[in-house]
Amino acid sequence: MTDWFLQQGHGVRFEWGPVGARRLAAEVACLVVVDVLSFTTSVTVAAERGTRVFPYAWRDGTARAFACERKAELAVGRREMTPDAPWSLSPAALRTAPLTPRLVLPSPNGSAIAAAAGDATVFAGCLRNATAVGRLLAAQGYGTEHRPVGVVAAGERWPDGSLRPALEDLLGAGAIIAELRGQGAGPLSSEAAAARAAFTGTPDVADTVARCSSGLELVRGGFPDDVAVATELDVCSAVPVLTDGAFTAVSDTGSG
């Protein structure tokens, strides 16, 4: 495989979507998946409550069987919640839902990236825990030329299934990359440096996310609280890491 699209020689790299994750996975020491609206935000909300979160790429009949095999509750669509099924991809709803030790969280974007990572170590990052992710990775020796980090923005999907780059994920990735750089990680690839600049050059990240396409979709669809939770910058010290098929939180000091 040629080198030019793998960003080789850089300690911090940046890519988009499952294909980007799959390309980088064999070339980096770890991947950070960023899906601000809403997979990785929801993972942080659940994980900081002590829930193990199993990612699953499909929201169909197979998800129920997958959850049953793992003796886990299944998160449903935002509009499908009931008193008997109070868990969904909505981070605001997960805050108030009954605590469950195991949860399957279907997502065609964030979960698909986790699946595409193969055997790579995968962390879940977002705006809520960007600083914690950067600090933990740097403390564990990631982010150097010899132990590079691949930060992967999930993006969204156009109706034909192709990737739609999402501004909120670019900003979330940029926030993590900015902290990594602040902790001495690097060098940054040009792609990673551009993502960092997008974050540091945005004066009001919360307002920008609320007004971008994905934010407007949720706000106008009746879920403004999900956007509010997703833009709580650096309120979370939990860093979910994919272990035995589930995201489990560690703190930014590396302790459980």
Side-chain angles (χ1 to χ4, degrees), residues 164-233:
R164 176 177 72 79
L167 178 58
E168 70 276 8
D169 294 339
L170 176 66
L171 294 173
I176 294 166
I177 293 167
E179 182 61 30
L180 278 165
R181 189 69 183 121
Q183 295 292 325
L188 306 185
S189 69
S190 295
E191 292 84 352
R196 172 177 174 261
F199 172 74
T200 59
T202 299
D204 189 336
V205 171
D207 183 68
T208 298
V209 172
R211 294 176 181 273
C212 76
S213 298
S214 302
L216 289 174
E217 178 185 13
L218 285 175
V219 171
R220 293 175 179 175
F223 299 99
D225 288 349
D226 284 351
V227 179
V229 173
T231 53
E232 296 172 337
L233 187 61

Side-chain angles (χ1 to χ4, degrees), residues 121-139:
T121 300
V122 181
F123 297 89
C126 59
L127 290 167
R128 299 184 76 246
N129 72 343
T131 292
V133 171
R135 286 178 178 171
L136 178 66
L137 294 183

